Amino acid sequence: MYMNRTEPKIMPGFMELLPADQILFNKMYDTIRRVYERFGFSPLDTPILEYSEILLAKAGGETEKQIYRFNKGDTDISMRFDLTVPLARYVAEHYPEIAFPFKRYQMGKVYRGERPQKGRFREFYQCDIDVIGNEQLDLLNDAEIPVIIYSVFKEMGFNEFKIRLNNRKILNGLFASLNLTDVAPDILRLIDKIDKIGRDDVSIELRKIGVSDADIALIINFILIKGSIDEVISKIKDLNISNDLYNIGIEELGTVAKTAISFGLPVDNLDIDLTIARGLDYYTGTIYETTLNDYPNIGSICSGGRYDNLAEYYTDRKLPGVGISIGLTRLFYQLREANIIKASNSSPAKVLVIPMSQSKDYALEIAGKLRDTDIATDVYLQNKNIKNKIQYADRLGIPFVIFIGEDEEREQKVTIRNLSISEQKVLSLDETIEEIKRAIK
Amino acid sequence: MYMNRTEPKIMPGFMELLPADQILFNKMYDTIRRVYERFGFSPLDTPILEYSEILLAKAGGETEKQIYRFNKGDTDISMRFDLTVPLARYVAEHYPEIAFPFKRYQMGKVYRGERPQKGRFREFYQCDIDVIGNEQLDLLNDAEIPVIIYSVFKEMGFNEFKIRLNNRKILNGLFASLNLTDVAPDILRLIDKIDKIGRDDVSIELRKIGVSDADIALIINFILIKGSIDEVISKIKDLNISNDLYNIGIEELGTVAKTAISFGLPVDNLDIDLTIARGLDYYTGTIYETTLNDYPNIGSICSGGRYDNLAEYYTDRKLPGVGISIGLTRLFYQLREANIIKASNSSPAKVLVIPMSQSKDYALEIAGKLRDTDIATDVYLQNKNIKNKIQYADRLGIPFVIFIGEDEEREQKVTIRNLSISEQKVLSLDETIEEIKRAIK
């Protein structure tokens, strides 16, 4: 039969992995989820499709252009582009059924029809937690977030990373005190470039947008402040900016940083960074970014902050919150590109059982018993020669092979081979289970 | 500020759960995944969006009308409506990188823009496994599938269910031998109704489509055959249908059923059901359905079968396979509606730590230590009265509350209350961990 075949391929900007990488990806996903749950966050799973009217109640500009939006029948539908807007809608919709503070995590795919480029994805996982208060949310919640970030990356195997802390009130207050609120977005954009273009060029650019020399000096002095928590707090106090917001921001930043430490965050993993701003209007207090010490180019791997009002587009209740997001697809891609993580096995199986005789019953019985002890077990059921069977285990990176022939059945033993060291032994089932469990731990 | 608010709601046909139900749903999801991995299936995660040309290479009729399809720029895009078509595309695309037999699981959302009605969803989870052979796939793989189905539902807590087994070759061979291949789809549709409309009405309808009285008698006799594996096999042999396909089908069905039993499937959970057909052209051999004994109205909760050629629309390689799918969203919905499953806690936390003194440090230290032993722990950080704090734990269904005040800090103890029995004790941290672990096991 002649068939007109379609070339099998996926669209650019979509990440699809081979099993070995997928196993690695899932391991990271599972680690994040486990830590989120361990800190008492409840799961949520909102639809990927929502009414455009809902998802775009706020959006505008760049975001709106990137959205996958279409009509089906009379319905104007969009694919979610983040997990925060659905959370806002969810909390507003289910308000009476929710116990506050509402601690939820959501880990799922979001969609942005960006121009595809290296390391940018149109479909990617976000892994979010948020704590939502009813009318009010204690600042201590801001201090627990860095402990959670720390636990996630620590448990992923990282040690050398910094959680960068700032407070938007400080920057907002500073600009207000200098009557520079109108040009604040431009100033923030320039501040962001100081590492790239240098202090002098930033000064020139600031002058161009009308900032006075005195203010430029003040701003540059401000953003160059570095040091321990106490040093930074005392230096920004010493600038004597007489603005309430500024001083509240300093108060909050100091409290959050010190409390996070007393909550168990190692001092070495915390950095106060007065330059981070994370977008311009959403965050209203504490801000977080997280960077790997040895890979600054990867940028922030976990970011978030405090906001005053989650759901103002859907309800008149005031719902302040604090949250973070890990862009897992991008993070995975970058860690893999930088060879920081490496896939190994292509199968979750720890052992491949190879039946050597006509009757496969005893082999399957052994497989069943291994599975009962939670050892992931594959059984080779194809009629191939022994070389093929071992190659299959090799190719999938399954560490152990168990041969079950007539001898093994008669003696109620198994022949087990550790493929990585080519060592072969005859063991009882109990010894086998012990051997495998020891090796995979 | 006056704001024009948007009413927060989701589209009909989309399932969104409150945390308690979501926790229950995730438990089922995790069970399925754990069993799939334990049997050595590797994870896959294909994009939700694909080229329409790919997803619709085969589709037609009803399916095509239901698809969410749209253009973005010049690209004709569709949302996946199952996980089988993406698997076919994936295997054809990555053929050289795949070790066969390829055992993969995928659990994710698929989309069908059906008319919303009770129990039907437009966005729903499918949880699939498939074993794909290269050119050839041993029949033993068909025999392992019922063992996997059994393990999944057993581990979910079900005992009373039947895995129904059939083989398409038997029905196809039977109809071919009677020269009824052309009306086979109509006959199958009628067969399906026999429990509802009765034997006599089925006969009348069969006569209407031109089936002779002798053939009607044969068909009805055939589909009423019931009994143990051996009984059914011997009865269908005794019909003396001289058709090769028919006899191969009998051979396969007998082998698969007996081997599944010898692989560990309890006889009580297996049923040969000659009437199940599972669609008309996709499956070519073994067919599976699974029904709960006490809830026949729920229909099949896990179905699948053997197919000769997975990816003929994308490659000329012959890729036979066998697989099953669990429609988790529908299953969850129906189990919950029938009160077979019930949500309890709204938080994964097993304990809520309530700081009773100004300094929260010792409370957070205790929380950290509980989390280190993998006990999910929430800390109440709001400034509320004690009644509110305990109510919060109550409302979320958190079983234990730990109070940490100055006394506890001084004595390095904790006061722990088991909320379900209102029992309160003062314990050391180690005793606390033991107490909680014992209770949640």
Side-chain angles (χ1 to χ4, degrees):
Chain A
M1 181 179 70
Y2 171 77
M3 268 191 96
N4 202 348
R5 297 215 160 76
T6 310
E7 191 203 340
K9 59 172 199 275
I10 58 169
M11 298 191 290
F14 287 73
M15 188 168 91
E16 181 174 79
L17 303 171
L18 286 169
D21 274 331
Q22 190 66 53
I23 287 171
L24 195 61
F25 182 95
N26 289 4
K27 218 169 148 179
M28 292 175 68
Y29 180 99
D30 291 341
T31 301
I32 297 170
R33 181 181 163 196
R34 191 171 53 244
V35 173
Y36 285 174
E37 291 201 345
R38 196 184 292 155
F39 277 83
F41 288 81
S42 303
L44 217 62
D45 182 14
T46 64
I48 284 177
L49 300 181
E50 296 217 26
Y51 291 116
S52 297
E53 186 193 22
I54 295 280
L55 290 190
L56 305 178
K58 178 188 184 181
E62 270 315 297
T63 311
E64 186 146 355
K65 263 187 274 169
Q66 293 174 354
I67 283 165
Y68 288 102
R69 179 177 181 175
F70 56 94
N71 285 282
K72 177 117 183 140
D74 297 333
T75 315
D76 180 356
I77 301 173
S78 290
M79 297 183 80
R80 67 183 181 206
F81 54 91
D82 72 6
L83 301 176
T84 307
V85 177
L87 173 65
R89 189 264 310 145
Y90 183 96
V91 176
E93 184 175 350
H94 298 287
Y95 176 84
E97 300 149 292
I98 291 172
F100 290 93
F102 180 46
K103 297 176 70 171
R104 86 82 176 82
Y105 76 89
Q106 183 165 3
M107 301 172 60
K109 288 176 169 180
V110 304
Y111 294 82
R112 294 188 196 170
E114 305 195 70
R115 271 180 63 125
Q117 46 180 308
K118 219 170 130 53
R120 301 291 260 175
F121 295 94
R122 291 169 159 180
E123 175 186 69
F124 56 96
Y125 278 89
Q126 283 196 333
C127 308
D128 287 18
I129 48 171
D130 288 87
V131 187
I132 311 296
N134 190 8
E135 299 293 332
Q136 188 273 338
L137 184 72
D138 204 286
L139 193 66
L140 290 177
N141 291 284
D142 299 41
E144 204 184 18
I145 295 281
V147 183
I148 303 170
I149 300 176
Y150 172 75
S151 299
V152 166
F153 290 101
K154 182 81 184 162
E155 197 140 326
M156 272 190 200
F158 294 102
N159 289 302
E160 303 295 309
F161 60 91
K162 293 263 191 227
I163 299 162
R164 300 180 183 285
L165 212 60
N166 193 14
N167 191 302
R168 278 299 307 271
K169 293 191 175 83
I170 299 175
L171 285 169
N172 289 347
L174 176 69
F175 296 139
S177 78
L178 303 175
N179 284 316
L180 291 172
T181 301
D182 290 349
V183 286
D186 302 306
I187 301 177
L188 289 172
R189 237 190 322 276
L190 289 169
I191 286 177
D192 241 9
K193 291 193 198 163
I194 197 160
D195 286 340
K196 268 197 211 141
I197 66 174
R199 182 183 165 146
D200 292 348
D201 279 2
V202 168
S203 300
I204 291 166
E205 295 294 321
L206 285 172
R207 210 166 287 127
K208 277 188 197 160
I209 56 170
V211 184
S212 74
D213 284 355
D215 290 352
I216 290 174
L218 183 67
I219 291 168
I220 301 250
N221 269 338
F222 172 85
I223 60 172
L224 292 179
I225 290 172
K226 304 252 182 272
S228 69
I229 300 171
D230 287 335
E231 282 164 11
V232 171
I233 297 293
S234 104
K235 283 182 196 166
I236 47 180
K237 271 188 185 155
D238 287 352
L239 291 180
N240 281 320
I241 308 288
S242 65
N243 175 286
D244 284 351
L245 200 60
Y246 183 84
N247 289 303
I248 293 169
I250 295 175
E251 214 40 63
E252 289 186 0
L253 182 61
T255 303
V256 170
K258 282 177 207 157
T259 312
I261 301 294
S262 76
F263 282 3
L265 177 70
V267 172
D268 283 352
N269 293 92
L270 183 70
D271 210 4
I272 293 192
D273 182 340
L274 299 173
T275 67
I276 57 170
R278 296 234 51 84
L280 299 168
D281 48 4
Y282 186 61
Y283 294 112
T284 51
T286 311
I287 300 173
Y288 316 96
E289 291 195 354
T290 313
T291 47
L292 296 173
N293 299 357
D294 301 330
Y295 304 89
N297 290 338
I298 289 182
S300 179
I301 57 176
C302 174
S303 313
R306 155 78 75 150
Y307 38 89
D308 276 344
N309 211 344
L310 173 71
E312 57 183 335
Y313 292 88
Y314 315 113
T315 176
D316 48 13
R317 292 185 191 280
K318 199 181 159 216
L319 300 166
V322 62
I324 49 167
S325 182
I326 299 173
L328 183 57
T329 302
R330 187 167 165 272
L331 175 61
F332 175 83
Y333 174 85
Q334 291 186 306
L335 293 176
R336 197 185 48 172
E337 288 291 296
N339 279 315
I340 303 170
I341 55 172
K342 243 191 156 69
S344 51
N345 49 320
S346 290
S347 165
K350 300 305 175 201
V351 54
L352 177 70
V353 173
I354 298 182
M356 304 292 281
S357 49
Q358 195 47 40
S359 161
K360 319 285 198 259
D361 296 0
Y362 183 59
L364 265 292
E365 190 190 318
I366 292 293
K369 284 181 175 162
L370 292 171
R371 287 167 183 151
D372 286 346
T373 70
D374 229 11
I375 293 173
T377 303
D378 199 356
V379 182
Y380 198 91
L381 294 173
Q382 297 301 100
N383 188 15
K384 299 258 181 180
N385 66 38
I386 183 70
K387 210 181 128 210
N388 283 130
K389 293 175 182 178
I390 294 171
Q391 261 175 1
Y392 172 83
D394 243 351
R395 225 180 135 184
L396 291 183
I398 300 175
F400 288 97
V401 164
I402 285 178
F403 303 97
I404 306 279
E406 281 156 20
D407 291 353
E408 283 82 3
E409 181 163 7
R410 197 175 40 244
E411 293 164 26
Q412 295 284 302
K413 297 264 183 182
V414 312
T415 300
I416 179 167
R417 187 186 292 179
N418 183 333
L419 290 184
S420 58
I421 54 173
S422 286
E423 186 194 58
Q424 192 161 311
K425 304 184 206 176
V426 177
L427 298 178
S428 72
L429 178 64
D430 284 347
E431 290 164 344
T432 303
I433 290 166
E434 215 176 282
E435 174 93 6
I436 297 170
K437 290 221 160 173
R438 198 166 43 230
I440 63 181
K441 211 160 67 184
Chain B
M1 180 178 66
Y2 170 78
M3 268 191 97
N4 201 349
R5 296 212 163 79
T6 311
E7 190 204 340
K9 59 171 195 280
I10 58 169
M11 297 191 290
F14 287 74
M15 187 168 92
E16 182 174 78
L17 303 171
L18 287 169
D21 274 330
Q22 190 65 53
I23 286 171
L24 195 58
F25 182 95
N26 289 3
K27 218 169 150 182
M28 291 176 69
Y29 180 99
D30 291 342
T31 301
I32 298 170
R33 181 181 163 198
R34 189 170 57 243
V35 173
Y36 285 175
E37 293 200 345
R38 196 184 292 155
F39 277 82
F41 288 81
S42 303
L44 217 64
D45 183 13
T46 64
I48 284 177
L49 299 181
E50 297 218 26
Y51 291 116
S52 297
E53 188 193 21
I54 296 278
L55 290 189
L56 304 179
K58 177 189 185 182
E62 269 313 297
T63 311
E64 186 146 355
K65 263 187 273 169
Q66 293 174 355
I67 282 165
Y68 288 102
R69 180 177 180 174
F70 57 93
N71 285 282
K72 176 116 183 143
D74 297 332
T75 314
D76 180 357
I77 301 174
S78 290
M79 298 184 80
R80 67 182 181 207
F81 54 90
D82 73 6
L83 302 176
T84 307
V85 176
L87 172 65
R89 190 265 310 145
Y90 183 94
V91 177
E93 184 175 351
H94 297 288
Y95 176 84
E97 301 151 291
I98 290 172
F100 290 92
F102 180 45
K103 297 175 72 173
R104 86 85 177 78
Y105 76 89
Q106 183 165 3
M107 301 172 62
K109 288 176 169 182
V110 304
Y111 294 82
R112 295 188 195 168
E114 305 194 69
R115 273 180 62 126
Q117 46 179 310
K118 217 168 134 55
R120 301 291 261 175
F121 295 94
R122 292 170 158 179
E123 176 186 67
F124 56 97
Y125 278 89
Q126 284 197 332
C127 308
D128 287 17
I129 48 170
D130 287 87
V131 187
I132 311 296
N134 191 7
E135 299 293 331
Q136 188 274 337
L137 184 72
D138 203 285
L139 193 66
L140 290 177
N141 291 284
D142 299 41
E144 204 182 20
I145 296 281
V147 183
I148 303 170
I149 299 175
Y150 173 74
S151 300
V152 166
F153 291 101
K154 182 79 184 164
E155 197 141 326
M156 272 189 197
F158 294 102
N159 288 302
E160 303 295 309
F161 59 91
K162 293 263 190 225
I163 298 163
R164 299 180 185 285
L165 212 60
N166 193 14
N167 191 300
R168 278 301 304 272
K169 292 190 175 85
I170 299 175
L171 285 169
N172 289 347
L174 176 70
F175 296 139
S177 78
L178 304 176
N179 284 314
L180 290 172
T181 301
D182 290 350
V183 285
D186 300 308
I187 300 176
L188 289 171
R189 240 190 319 276
L190 289 169
I191 286 176
D192 242 10
K193 289 192 196 164
I194 197 160
D195 286 339
K196 268 197 211 142
I197 67 175
R199 185 184 163 146
D200 291 348
D201 278 2
V202 168
S203 300
I204 293 166
E205 295 294 322
L206 285 172
R207 210 165 286 129
K208 278 190 197 156
I209 57 171
V211 184
S212 73
D213 283 357
D215 290 353
I216 291 174
L218 183 68
I219 292 169
I220 302 250
N221 269 337
F222 172 86
I223 60 172
L224 292 180
I225 290 172
K226 303 254 184 271
S228 69
I229 300 171
D230 287 334
E231 283 164 8
V232 171
I233 297 294
S234 105
K235 283 182 197 167
I236 47 179
K237 270 187 185 157
D238 288 350
L239 292 179
N240 280 317
I241 308 286
S242 63
N243 175 285
D244 284 351
L245 199 61
Y246 184 82
N247 289 301
I248 294 169
I250 295 175
E251 214 40 64
E252 289 186 1
L253 181 60
T255 304
V256 169
K258 283 176 207 161
T259 312
I261 301 294
S262 76
F263 282 3
L265 177 68
V267 171
D268 282 352
N269 293 94
L270 183 68
D271 211 3
I272 293 193
D273 183 340
L274 298 173
T275 67
I276 58 171
R278 297 238 45 89
L280 299 168
D281 49 2
Y282 186 60
Y283 295 112
T284 52
T286 311
I287 301 173
Y288 315 96
E289 291 197 352
T290 313
T291 47
L292 297 173
N293 299 357
D294 301 331
Y295 304 90
N297 291 337
I298 289 181
S300 180
I301 58 177
C302 175
S303 313
R306 156 77 74 146
Y307 38 88
D308 277 343
N309 211 343
L310 174 71
E312 57 183 337
Y313 293 89
Y314 315 113
T315 176
D316 48 12
R317 292 186 190 280
K318 201 183 158 215
L319 301 165
V322 61
I324 48 166
S325 182
I326 299 172
L328 184 57
T329 301
R330 188 168 164 272
L331 175 62
F332 175 83
Y333 173 83
Q334 290 186 306
L335 294 176
R336 196 184 51 172
E337 288 290 296
N339 279 314
I340 303 170
I341 54 172
K342 245 195 151 69
S344 49
N345 48 322
S346 291
S347 164
K350 301 303 173 200
V351 53
L352 176 71
V353 172
I354 298 181
M356 304 291 282
S357 49
Q358 195 48 41
S359 162
K360 318 287 197 259
D361 295 2
Y362 183 60
L364 266 290
E365 190 189 319
I366 292 293
K369 285 183 173 161
L370 292 171
R371 287 167 182 151
D372 285 346
T373 69
D374 229 11
I375 293 172
T377 304
D378 198 358
V379 182
Y380 199 92
L381 294 172
Q382 299 300 101
N383 188 15
K384 298 260 180 177
N385 67 36
I386 183 68
K387 207 180 130 214
N388 283 129
K389 293 176 183 179
I390 295 171
Q391 260 174 0
Y392 172 82
D394 242 352
R395 227 182 132 183
L396 292 183
I398 300 174
F400 288 97
V401 164
I402 285 178
F403 304 97
I404 306 279
E406 281 156 19
D407 290 354
E408 283 82 3
E409 180 163 8
R410 194 174 44 245
E411 294 165 26
Q412 295 286 299
K413 297 264 184 184
V414 314
T415 301
I416 180 168
R417 185 185 294 182
N418 183 333
L419 290 185
S420 58
I421 54 173
S422 286
E423 185 195 61
Q424 191 160 312
K425 306 184 203 175
V426 178
L427 299 178
S428 72
L429 179 62
D430 284 346
E431 291 163 341
T432 304
I433 291 166
E434 214 176 286
E435 174 95 5
I436 296 170
K437 291 221 160 174
R438 198 167 41 231
I440 64 181
K441 212 160 63 183

